[in-house]
Amino acid sequence: MSQAPDDGGRRKPGRPRSEEAREKILAAAHAILIGEGLGRLTVEAVAARAHVGKPTIYRYWANAQELALAAFLSRPPQVREIAPSRSAKDDLADHLAGVIAAFASARGRQIALTMASVDGVSELSKAFRNQVILKSREAGRAILARARESGEIGAATAVETALDMIYGPIFYRLLAGHQPLSAAFAAELVETVFAGIGRKEG
Amino acid sequence: MSQAPDDGGRRKPGRPRSEEAREKILAAAHAILIGEGLGRLTVEAVAARAHVGKPTIYRYWANAQELALAAFLSRPPQVREIAPSRSAKDDLADHLAGVIAAFASARGRQIALTMASVDGVSELSKAFRNQVILKSREAGRAILARARESGEIGAATAVETALDMIYGPIFYRLLAGHQPLSAAFAAELVETVFAGIGRKEG
Amino acid sequence: MSQAPDDGGRRKPGRPRSEEAREKILAAAHAILIGEGLGRLTVEAVAARAHVGKPTIYRYWANAQELALAAFLSRPPQVREIAPSRSAKDDLADHLAGVIAAFASARGRQIALTMASVDGVSELSKAFRNQVILKSREAGRAILARARESGEIGAATAVETALDMIYGPIFYRLLAGHQPLSAAFAAELVETVFAGIGRKEG
Amino acid sequence: MSQAPDDGGRRKPGRPRSEEAREKILAAAHAILIGEGLGRLTVEAVAARAHVGKPTIYRYWANAQELALAAFLSRPPQVREIAPSRSAKDDLADHLAGVIAAFASARGRQIALTMASVDGVSELSKAFRNQVILKSREAGRAILARARESGEIGAATAVETALDMIYGPIFYRLLAGHQPLSAAFAAELVETVFAGIGRKEG
DNA sequence: TGATAAACGAGACGGTACGTCCAGTCTTTCC
DNA sequence: GGAAAGACTGGACGTACCGTCTCGTTTATCA
């Protein structure tokens, strides 16, 4: 963190923490999360896999839960960028297809499970939420903002609610599993969100 | 279960299972789930709290996970009934306010967490999903069906997607916690779902 | 202990403790004590060697120290019996040669070390002292008693002090190591104890 | 050690070792030994208490065991000097009372325990034995030598065995704890050692 | 008077063992 | 003869120290 002694900054005494060890730990934790799931992410297993002592792990994180957050945080899901083009509706559909591709996987389920089991008060859990869960939501917000400027969506639209209507269903399907989470769902969702379900008066 | 051997059926030999023990176990499990969370629901703790041996628990459920499902299943969240009246939009808003009231609590978070951590293949997990998670979704489906009949919503509406747009945001907010899950959200959500966010052409 | 339900005694419910496990643990502990020493007697190592869970060990003994006591207690050093004959002096010399043979070994040193590190207040440590360390002292006391009856030693002799003068030097040499602890020492010691070092008048 | 480079000897370059640090370490180690016992003498604890880095300790001693030896060696038990007078028997009794006073304490027990746990091959452990354990033995040897000259003890007396008979019982009682280690024991012991226990022929 | 070299404090490192909690299984007695 | 109770093996927990290492700092000498 404060590794750079920028000028007047006083370095702490003692041997500095090994960035290499930290990275090995996160890599091992991530590999276990993907390969075996959150339930198998034990500090012991990570220590063995990373060739690191257990106290080194506890020096950074208080328990396996925090380590999971940090592991996902260090390797956030990569939602592919979209080229802003044509209409906001198309852009949003493209974007959501990317989100679904990123989350509809073993890793996605583990992330969702981790999200659910987090209490949400610590700094780390807030960072996890903002960087891992809600990152794409901000991308969606940008698209909506552009759409409002171009007049594609109504000026009075409740943006927060709209965003929940867009991203909520994806996690809902991911977790409840009552319906498949396919790429086609992205287009269908965007369509319905834009059109609404109420009868239009002519 | 097969406790009543009325119809000429031969009673099984040996000591019959104690229904009282089963109920004590579920009560203890539920109390722990509400009071301490899914993470603290250990078979050991339940056995101690219910004054029951561990094997008695394992006789009914294979692990703590299943026990959690059963505990919630035995005490499903009570979403208050609504009196069908006025418009489908109002009915839906009323209903969603009830759903939010039922889930926006420690118990609701535990249920959501349980949902996330369930794999979804066993009978019990399916029952949990259908009875605990998706029960209210069916109520919503009924309201939408009535609305379609009355012409309140378009005939071409994709109902499944619409339902996801209605219930998804609730769980999304519950788990991600980026926005409060208040009663007001119910009305706002219904409004936006019905209206859509796209600009209406005059 | 109260394993035998002698008639009206009510046995405790549940699975009784396994005497086999207890014996395996003691055997493993003893083997480690002899082979590697008190310092290597870790609960972990014993559990692994005995194919027993750590909690099973802790159910019987509070720590490795107690386990060491119990291990030695279960296999007390075998001082060879002597055939009471000829004179008390010869009997005592024979007996001491046996004591030296039993203690002048890796095992003897471990016992002495264990004796030193014991605090001496617990029941177990008292039993260890009485059964392992002071057992042979009682044999010596019997020999002296016979000698007094036969008139071989003075009636006014302070027996406790005499016993300390007989056994003390053995442990002294064993621990301090300033002089070898050979069989010859037994005879020499007895001789000097009987004769005393003061100039005889008359 | 080789701090004084008088005779043309070339001083080593670099910062010389701090005698103050060495002393702080020994003081801290000794305090822990007396206050908490050998088992709590960890390098970590000593470093913390002495406000010294762990490597500074390891620069002088290889492990906590050696440090314990050095700590006792630097503060050897003070057996009070006796004024040679009257008879050797009285002198010896006086001397032994001093030995008992010095060893019958928490510190004495820790020294005895340390003696027992030492293997006895290293230079340091030999020094410990000679300076801490056997120092008083030499005082006893001097008294016996004087007694032999004055004719107070027999010329044929086996001095080594006699010394073991004198000091052995003290450590024996200290470690085994079967009898109190009081000042009175000194006189009784000397009396019996001189007189012997065998019946004197008239 | 600097440069150089070793010892200093601090503390992180890879490890081992601790003593505890809990998972599931097994073995006994009770109903 | 199955239910109930509790001991069983085993694995992970989070902590205390081990003995080693790498820092930045201090203190001496040698050039």
Side-chain angles (χ1 to χ4, degrees), chain A residues 28-67:
Chain A
H30 192 255
I32 290 174
L33 279 170
I34 303 312
E36 312 181 42
L38 182 60
R40 305 294 294 273
L41 184 79
T42 67
V43 172
E44 202 120 327
V46 171
R49 185 163 191 151
H51 298 294
V52 145
K54 281 203 288 176
T56 301
I57 296 178
Y58 283 108
R59 217 167 277 126
Y60 288 98
W61 303 281
N63 48 49
Q65 168 75 62
E66 282 200 6
L67 178 51

mmCIF file of all heavy atoms in Angstrom, chain A residues 28-67:
data_model
loop_
_atom_site.group_PDB
_atom_site.id
_atom_site.type_symbol
_atom_site.label_atom_id
_atom_site.label_comp_id
_atom_site.label_asym_id
_atom_site.label_seq_id
_atom_site.Cartn_x
_atom_site.Cartn_y
_atom_site.Cartn_z
ATOM 1 N N ALA A 28 -3.556 -18.777 -5.756
ATOM 2 C CA ALA A 28 -3.984 -20.083 -5.255
ATOM 3 C C ALA A 28 -5.441 -20.030 -4.829
ATOM 4 O O ALA A 28 -6.232 -20.937 -5.140
ATOM 5 C CB ALA A 28 -3.104 -20.495 -4.084
ATOM 6 N N ALA A 29 -5.811 -18.972 -4.144
ATOM 7 C CA ALA A 29 -7.197 -18.844 -3.683
ATOM 8 C C ALA A 29 -8.139 -18.816 -4.876
ATOM 9 O O ALA A 29 -9.179 -19.493 -4.884
ATOM 10 C CB ALA A 29 -7.363 -17.576 -2.854
ATOM 11 N N HIS A 30 -7.765 -18.066 -5.887
ATOM 12 C CA HIS A 30 -8.628 -17.976 -7.058
ATOM 13 C C HIS A 30 -8.765 -19.320 -7.747
ATOM 14 O O HIS A 30 -9.861 -19.737 -8.139
ATOM 15 C CB HIS A 30 -8.074 -16.929 -8.024
ATOM 16 C CG HIS A 30 -9.024 -16.560 -9.105
ATOM 17 N ND1 HIS A 30 -8.891 -16.990 -10.391
ATOM 18 C CD2 HIS A 30 -10.168 -15.830 -9.063
ATOM 19 C CE1 HIS A 30 -9.900 -16.514 -11.112
ATOM 20 N NE2 HIS A 30 -10.685 -15.805 -10.331
ATOM 21 N N ALA A 31 -7.661 -20.014 -7.854
ATOM 22 C CA ALA A 31 -7.705 -21.323 -8.505
ATOM 23 C C ALA A 31 -8.635 -22.269 -7.745
ATOM 24 O O ALA A 31 -9.421 -23.009 -8.346
ATOM 25 C CB ALA A 31 -6.297 -21.903 -8.575
ATOM 26 N N ILE A 32 -8.565 -22.234 -6.435
ATOM 27 C CA ILE A 32 -9.442 -23.107 -5.655
ATOM 28 C C ILE A 32 -10.899 -22.684 -5.808
ATOM 29 O O ILE A 32 -11.783 -23.524 -5.967
ATOM 30 C CB ILE A 32 -9.016 -23.075 -4.169
ATOM 31 C CG1 ILE A 32 -7.673 -23.780 -4.007
ATOM 32 C CG2 ILE A 32 -10.066 -23.747 -3.293
ATOM 33 C CD1 ILE A 32 -7.084 -23.702 -2.622
ATOM 34 N N LEU A 33 -11.140 -21.396 -5.774
ATOM 35 C CA LEU A 33 -12.509 -20.916 -5.918
ATOM 36 C C LEU A 33 -13.121 -21.395 -7.237
ATOM 37 O O LEU A 33 -14.260 -21.876 -7.272
ATOM 38 C CB LEU A 33 -12.536 -19.388 -5.875
ATOM 39 C CG LEU A 33 -12.494 -18.765 -4.490
ATOM 40 C CD1 LEU A 33 -12.270 -17.277 -4.563
ATOM 41 C CD2 LEU A 33 -13.809 -19.064 -3.767
ATOM 42 N N ILE A 34 -12.366 -21.253 -8.302
ATOM 43 C CA ILE A 34 -12.879 -21.670 -9.608
ATOM 44 C C ILE A 34 -13.015 -23.178 -9.684
ATOM 45 O O ILE A 34 -14.008 -23.725 -10.139
ATOM 46 C CB ILE A 34 -11.929 -21.199 -10.734
ATOM 47 C CG1 ILE A 34 -11.753 -19.693 -10.673
ATOM 48 C CG2 ILE A 34 -12.465 -21.620 -12.091
ATOM 49 C CD1 ILE A 34 -13.029 -18.955 -10.553
ATOM 50 N N GLY A 35 -11.983 -23.853 -9.196
ATOM 51 C CA GLY A 35 -11.943 -25.297 -9.395
ATOM 52 C C GLY A 35 -12.780 -26.096 -8.423
ATOM 53 O O GLY A 35 -13.325 -27.145 -8.773
ATOM 54 N N GLU A 36 -12.888 -25.614 -7.185
ATOM 55 C CA GLU A 36 -13.555 -26.443 -6.182
ATOM 56 C C GLU A 36 -14.687 -25.730 -5.456
ATOM 57 O O GLU A 36 -15.468 -26.382 -4.775
ATOM 58 C CB GLU A 36 -12.528 -26.930 -5.155
ATOM 59 C CG GLU A 36 -11.272 -27.515 -5.799
ATOM 60 C CD GLU A 36 -10.286 -28.015 -4.758
ATOM 61 O OE1 GLU A 36 -10.738 -28.648 -3.786
ATOM 62 O OE2 GLU A 36 -9.069 -27.768 -4.916
ATOM 63 N N GLY A 37 -14.730 -24.424 -5.577
ATOM 64 C CA GLY A 37 -15.849 -23.711 -4.979
ATOM 65 C C GLY A 37 -15.510 -23.056 -3.656
ATOM 66 O O GLY A 37 -14.513 -23.380 -3.012
ATOM 67 N N LEU A 38 -16.385 -22.146 -3.263
ATOM 68 C CA LEU A 38 -16.178 -21.366 -2.043
ATOM 69 C C LEU A 38 -16.062 -22.256 -0.809
ATOM 70 O O LEU A 38 -15.288 -21.977 0.102
ATOM 71 C CB LEU A 38 -17.354 -20.402 -1.878
ATOM 72 C CG LEU A 38 -17.333 -19.453 -0.687
ATOM 73 C CD1 LEU A 38 -16.127 -18.548 -0.734
ATOM 74 C CD2 LEU A 38 -18.608 -18.624 -0.646
ATOM 75 N N GLY A 39 -16.810 -23.343 -0.807
ATOM 76 C CA GLY A 39 -16.824 -24.214 0.367
ATOM 77 C C GLY A 39 -15.506 -24.913 0.623
ATOM 78 O O GLY A 39 -15.214 -25.328 1.736
ATOM 79 N N ARG A 40 -14.701 -25.007 -0.413
ATOM 80 C CA ARG A 40 -13.415 -25.692 -0.265
ATOM 81 C C ARG A 40 -12.265 -24.718 -0.107
ATOM 82 O O ARG A 40 -11.107 -25.126 -0.075
ATOM 83 C CB ARG A 40 -13.169 -26.603 -1.468
ATOM 84 C CG ARG A 40 -14.286 -27.596 -1.729
ATOM 85 C CD ARG A 40 -14.362 -28.605 -0.584
ATOM 86 N NE ARG A 40 -13.157 -29.416 -0.554
ATOM 87 C CZ ARG A 40 -13.011 -30.532 -1.262
ATOM 88 N NH1 ARG A 40 -14.008 -30.971 -1.993
ATOM 89 N NH2 ARG A 40 -11.890 -31.216 -1.196
ATOM 90 N N LEU A 41 -12.591 -23.451 -0.087
ATOM 91 C CA LEU A 41 -11.537 -22.451 0.078
ATOM 92 C C LEU A 41 -11.142 -22.370 1.543
ATOM 93 O O LEU A 41 -11.622 -21.525 2.289
ATOM 94 C CB LEU A 41 -12.015 -21.074 -0.399
ATOM 95 C CG LEU A 41 -10.913 -20.021 -0.341
ATOM 96 C CD1 LEU A 41 -9.993 -20.183 -1.545
ATOM 97 C CD2 LEU A 41 -11.461 -18.620 -0.295
ATOM 98 N N THR A 42 -10.242 -23.246 1.961
ATOM 99 C CA THR A 42 -9.761 -23.192 3.339
ATOM 100 C C THR A 42 -8.393 -22.526 3.353
ATOM 101 O O THR A 42 -7.630 -22.615 2.389
ATOM 102 C CB THR A 42 -9.626 -24.601 3.928
ATOM 103 O OG1 THR A 42 -8.584 -25.287 3.254
ATOM 104 C CG2 THR A 42 -10.915 -25.380 3.783
ATOM 105 N N VAL A 43 -8.116 -21.869 4.428
ATOM 106 C CA VAL A 43 -6.825 -21.190 4.556
ATOM 107 C C VAL A 43 -5.693 -22.218 4.450
ATOM 108 O O VAL A 43 -4.666 -21.964 3.824
ATOM 109 C CB VAL A 43 -6.754 -20.438 5.895
ATOM 110 C CG1 VAL A 43 -5.360 -19.896 6.130
ATOM 111 C CG2 VAL A 43 -7.765 -19.312 5.900
ATOM 112 N N GLU A 44 -5.944 -23.367 5.026
ATOM 113 C CA GLU A 44 -4.951 -24.435 4.995
ATOM 114 C C GLU A 44 -4.623 -24.836 3.552
ATOM 115 O O GLU A 44 -3.460 -24.950 3.159
ATOM 116 C CB GLU A 44 -5.491 -25.653 5.756
ATOM 117 C CG GLU A 44 -4.422 -26.577 6.241
ATOM 118 C CD GLU A 44 -4.487 -26.696 7.770
ATOM 119 O OE1 GLU A 44 -4.841 -25.703 8.439
ATOM 120 O OE2 GLU A 44 -4.178 -27.763 8.288
ATOM 121 N N ALA A 45 -5.680 -25.049 2.772
ATOM 122 C CA ALA A 45 -5.484 -25.468 1.390
ATOM 123 C C ALA A 45 -4.756 -24.394 0.594
ATOM 124 O O ALA A 45 -3.863 -24.696 -0.207
ATOM 125 C CB ALA A 45 -6.833 -25.794 0.751
ATOM 126 N N VAL A 46 -5.128 -23.154 0.817
ATOM 127 C CA VAL A 46 -4.468 -22.064 0.089
ATOM 128 C C VAL A 46 -2.992 -22.013 0.466
ATOM 129 O O VAL A 46 -2.121 -21.873 -0.397
ATOM 130 C CB VAL A 46 -5.143 -20.714 0.399
ATOM 131 C CG1 VAL A 46 -4.339 -19.570 -0.181
ATOM 132 C CG2 VAL A 46 -6.556 -20.702 -0.158
ATOM 133 N N ALA A 47 -2.703 -22.135 1.756
ATOM 134 C CA ALA A 47 -1.318 -22.084 2.205
ATOM 135 C C ALA A 47 -0.510 -23.190 1.547
ATOM 136 O O ALA A 47 0.608 -22.966 1.063
ATOM 137 C CB ALA A 47 -1.251 -22.205 3.725
ATOM 138 N N ALA A 48 -1.084 -24.382 1.503
ATOM 139 C CA ALA A 48 -0.370 -25.508 0.906
ATOM 140 C C ALA A 48 -0.134 -25.263 -0.579
ATOM 141 O O ALA A 48 0.966 -25.481 -1.089
ATOM 142 C CB ALA A 48 -1.171 -26.794 1.127
ATOM 143 N N ARG A 49 -1.166 -24.804 -1.238
ATOM 144 C CA ARG A 49 -1.066 -24.618 -2.687
ATOM 145 C C ARG A 49 -0.122 -23.486 -3.067
ATOM 146 O O ARG A 49 0.568 -23.555 -4.082
ATOM 147 C CB ARG A 49 -2.463 -24.332 -3.235
ATOM 148 C CG ARG A 49 -2.504 -24.230 -4.744
ATOM 149 C CD ARG A 49 -3.926 -24.362 -5.217
ATOM 150 N NE ARG A 49 -4.002 -24.533 -6.639
ATOM 151 C CZ ARG A 49 -4.965 -25.189 -7.254
ATOM 152 N NH1 ARG A 49 -5.907 -25.756 -6.527
ATOM 153 N NH2 ARG A 49 -4.989 -25.302 -8.557
ATOM 154 N N ALA A 50 -0.098 -22.462 -2.228
ATOM 155 C CA ALA A 50 0.739 -21.300 -2.551
ATOM 156 C C ALA A 50 2.147 -21.431 -1.981
ATOM 157 O O ALA A 50 2.972 -20.547 -2.187
ATOM 158 C CB ALA A 50 0.076 -20.035 -2.025
ATOM 159 N N HIS A 51 2.409 -22.516 -1.284
ATOM 160 C CA HIS A 51 3.704 -22.697 -0.607
ATOM 161 C C HIS A 51 4.015 -21.491 0.283
ATOM 162 O O HIS A 51 5.037 -20.837 0.148
ATOM 163 C CB HIS A 51 4.817 -22.917 -1.624
ATOM 164 C CG HIS A 51 4.628 -24.149 -2.439
ATOM 165 N ND1 HIS A 51 4.670 -25.400 -1.906
ATOM 166 C CD2 HIS A 51 4.333 -24.303 -3.743
ATOM 167 C CE1 HIS A 51 4.439 -26.283 -2.863
ATOM 168 N NE2 HIS A 51 4.228 -25.650 -3.983
ATOM 169 N N VAL A 52 3.107 -21.273 1.170
ATOM 170 C CA VAL A 52 3.138 -20.094 2.017
ATOM 171 C C VAL A 52 2.687 -20.531 3.403
ATOM 172 O O VAL A 52 1.940 -21.494 3.552
ATOM 173 C CB VAL A 52 2.154 -19.063 1.399
ATOM 174 C CG1 VAL A 52 1.460 -18.276 2.467
ATOM 175 C CG2 VAL A 52 2.871 -18.159 0.424
ATOM 176 N N GLY A 53 3.203 -19.877 4.440
ATOM 177 C CA GLY A 53 2.762 -20.222 5.787
ATOM 178 C C GLY A 53 1.381 -19.661 6.071
ATOM 179 O O GLY A 53 1.015 -18.625 5.533
ATOM 180 N N LYS A 54 0.634 -20.349 6.926
ATOM 181 C CA LYS A 54 -0.699 -19.841 7.252
ATOM 182 C C LYS A 54 -0.651 -18.438 7.851
ATOM 183 O O LYS A 54 -1.459 -17.583 7.473
ATOM 184 C CB LYS A 54 -1.410 -20.805 8.222
ATOM 185 C CG LYS A 54 -1.994 -22.006 7.543
ATOM 186 C CD LYS A 54 -3.123 -22.618 8.355
ATOM 187 C CE LYS A 54 -2.611 -23.317 9.588
ATOM 188 N NZ LYS A 54 -3.727 -23.813 10.418
ATOM 189 N N PRO A 55 0.254 -18.162 8.775
ATOM 190 C CA PRO A 55 0.273 -16.807 9.338
ATOM 191 C C PRO A 55 0.449 -15.718 8.286
ATOM 192 O O PRO A 55 -0.032 -14.611 8.472
ATOM 193 C CB PRO A 55 1.455 -16.852 10.305
ATOM 194 C CG PRO A 55 1.530 -18.283 10.708
ATOM 195 C CD PRO A 55 1.171 -19.062 9.481
ATOM 196 N N THR A 56 1.135 -16.025 7.200
ATOM 197 C CA THR A 56 1.280 -15.023 6.154
ATOM 198 C C THR A 56 -0.078 -14.657 5.566
ATOM 199 O O THR A 56 -0.358 -13.497 5.273
ATOM 200 C CB THR A 56 2.215 -15.556 5.053
ATOM 201 O OG1 THR A 56 3.478 -15.854 5.628
ATOM 202 C CG2 THR A 56 2.402 -14.523 3.964
ATOM 203 N N ILE A 57 -0.912 -15.646 5.434
ATOM 204 C CA ILE A 57 -2.265 -15.358 4.931
ATOM 205 C C ILE A 57 -3.043 -14.536 5.953
ATOM 206 O O ILE A 57 -3.662 -13.523 5.615
ATOM 207 C CB ILE A 57 -3.004 -16.679 4.629
ATOM 208 C CG1 ILE A 57 -2.278 -17.423 3.508
ATOM 209 C CG2 ILE A 57 -4.454 -16.402 4.256
ATOM 210 C CD1 ILE A 57 -2.890 -18.756 3.157
ATOM 211 N N TYR A 58 -2.972 -14.953 7.207
ATOM 212 C CA TYR A 58 -3.737 -14.237 8.227
ATOM 213 C C TYR A 58 -3.188 -12.821 8.440
ATOM 214 O O TYR A 58 -3.884 -11.978 9.007
ATOM 215 C CB TYR A 58 -3.722 -15.017 9.543
ATOM 216 C CG TYR A 58 -4.653 -16.195 9.533
ATOM 217 C CD1 TYR A 58 -4.179 -17.491 9.468
ATOM 218 C CD2 TYR A 58 -6.035 -15.999 9.569
ATOM 219 C CE1 TYR A 58 -5.038 -18.577 9.449
ATOM 220 C CE2 TYR A 58 -6.900 -17.073 9.555
ATOM 221 C CZ TYR A 58 -6.396 -18.361 9.497
ATOM 222 O OH TYR A 58 -7.254 -19.431 9.478
ATOM 223 N N ARG A 59 -1.947 -12.581 8.015
ATOM 224 C CA ARG A 59 -1.410 -11.235 8.148
ATOM 225 C C ARG A 59 -2.159 -10.268 7.231
ATOM 226 O O ARG A 59 -2.278 -9.086 7.519
ATOM 227 C CB ARG A 59 0.079 -11.262 7.814
ATOM 228 C CG ARG A 59 0.900 -10.334 8.675
ATOM 229 C CD ARG A 59 2.377 -10.624 8.540
ATOM 230 N NE ARG A 59 2.817 -11.716 9.386
ATOM 231 C CZ ARG A 59 3.468 -12.792 8.977
ATOM 232 N NH1 ARG A 59 3.737 -12.959 7.708
ATOM 233 N NH2 ARG A 59 3.831 -13.725 9.831
ATOM 234 N N TYR A 60 -2.658 -10.802 6.126
ATOM 235 C CA TYR A 60 -3.368 -9.938 5.185
ATOM 236 C C TYR A 60 -4.884 -9.979 5.385
ATOM 237 O O TYR A 60 -5.559 -8.966 5.297
ATOM 238 C CB TYR A 60 -3.070 -10.371 3.751
ATOM 239 C CG TYR A 60 -1.667 -10.056 3.267
ATOM 240 C CD1 TYR A 60 -0.666 -11.016 3.286
ATOM 241 C CD2 TYR A 60 -1.361 -8.781 2.796
ATOM 242 C CE1 TYR A 60 0.612 -10.723 2.831
ATOM 243 C CE2 TYR A 60 -0.090 -8.483 2.334
ATOM 244 C CZ TYR A 60 0.894 -9.460 2.359
ATOM 245 O OH TYR A 60 2.154 -9.167 1.911
ATOM 246 N N TRP A 61 -5.407 -11.170 5.626
ATOM 247 C CA TRP A 61 -6.866 -11.314 5.699
ATOM 248 C C TRP A 61 -7.255 -12.073 6.960
ATOM 249 O O TRP A 61 -6.553 -12.987 7.382
ATOM 250 C CB TRP A 61 -7.371 -12.055 4.467
ATOM 251 C CG TRP A 61 -6.976 -11.361 3.204
ATOM 252 C CD1 TRP A 61 -7.573 -10.260 2.643
ATOM 253 C CD2 TRP A 61 -5.883 -11.703 2.339
ATOM 254 N NE1 TRP A 61 -6.916 -9.903 1.496
ATOM 255 C CE2 TRP A 61 -5.877 -10.762 1.277
ATOM 256 C CE3 TRP A 61 -4.916 -12.698 2.355
ATOM 257 C CZ2 TRP A 61 -4.939 -10.804 0.251
ATOM 258 C CZ3 TRP A 61 -3.979 -12.743 1.344
ATOM 259 C CH2 TRP A 61 -4.001 -11.814 0.305
ATOM 260 N N ALA A 62 -8.406 -11.698 7.494
ATOM 261 C CA ALA A 62 -8.779 -12.233 8.802
ATOM 262 C C ALA A 62 -9.318 -13.650 8.735
ATOM 263 O O ALA A 62 -9.267 -14.398 9.706
ATOM 264 C CB ALA A 62 -9.811 -11.321 9.459
ATOM 265 N N ASN A 63 -9.845 -14.067 7.599
ATOM 266 C CA ASN A 63 -10.413 -15.419 7.475
ATOM 267 C C ASN A 63 -10.602 -15.756 6.005
ATOM 268 O O ASN A 63 -10.320 -14.948 5.121
ATOM 269 C CB ASN A 63 -11.734 -15.495 8.223
ATOM 270 C CG ASN A 63 -12.623 -14.315 7.873
ATOM 271 O OD1 ASN A 63 -12.821 -14.004 6.704
ATOM 272 N ND2 ASN A 63 -13.138 -13.651 8.898
ATOM 273 N N ALA A 64 -11.071 -16.962 5.775
ATOM 274 C CA ALA A 64 -11.193 -17.449 4.407
ATOM 275 C C ALA A 64 -12.195 -16.609 3.610
ATOM 276 O O ALA A 64 -12.030 -16.396 2.402
ATOM 277 C CB ALA A 64 -11.618 -18.914 4.415
ATOM 278 N N GLN A 65 -13.215 -16.137 4.297
ATOM 279 C CA GLN A 65 -14.223 -15.302 3.654
ATOM 280 C C GLN A 65 -13.600 -14.057 3.019
ATOM 281 O O GLN A 65 -13.808 -13.769 1.835
ATOM 282 C CB GLN A 65 -15.243 -14.900 4.729
ATOM 283 C CG GLN A 65 -16.206 -13.813 4.324
ATOM 284 C CD GLN A 65 -17.247 -14.334 3.385
ATOM 285 O OE1 GLN A 65 -18.018 -15.198 3.726
ATOM 286 N NE2 GLN A 65 -17.248 -13.808 2.161
ATOM 287 N N GLU A 66 -12.791 -13.367 3.821
ATOM 288 C CA GLU A 66 -12.141 -12.164 3.305
ATOM 289 C C GLU A 66 -11.188 -12.490 2.169
ATOM 290 O O GLU A 66 -11.066 -11.742 1.206
ATOM 291 C CB GLU A 66 -11.364 -11.460 4.434
ATOM 292 C CG GLU A 66 -12.231 -10.671 5.368
ATOM 293 C CD GLU A 66 -11.408 -9.628 6.127
ATOM 294 O OE1 GLU A 66 -10.209 -9.475 5.820
ATOM 295 O OE2 GLU A 66 -11.975 -8.973 7.006
ATOM 296 N N LEU A 67 -10.524 -13.610 2.312
ATOM 297 C CA LEU A 67 -9.596 -14.017 1.272
ATOM 298 C C LEU A 67 -10.335 -14.238 -0.043
ATOM 299 O O LEU A 67 -9.844 -13.872 -1.120
ATOM 300 C CB LEU A 67 -8.876 -15.297 1.713
ATOM 301 C CG LEU A 67 -7.898 -15.923 0.735
ATOM 302 C CD1 LEU A 67 -6.902 -14.899 0.222
ATOM 303 C CD2 LEU A 67 -7.159 -17.066 1.396
#
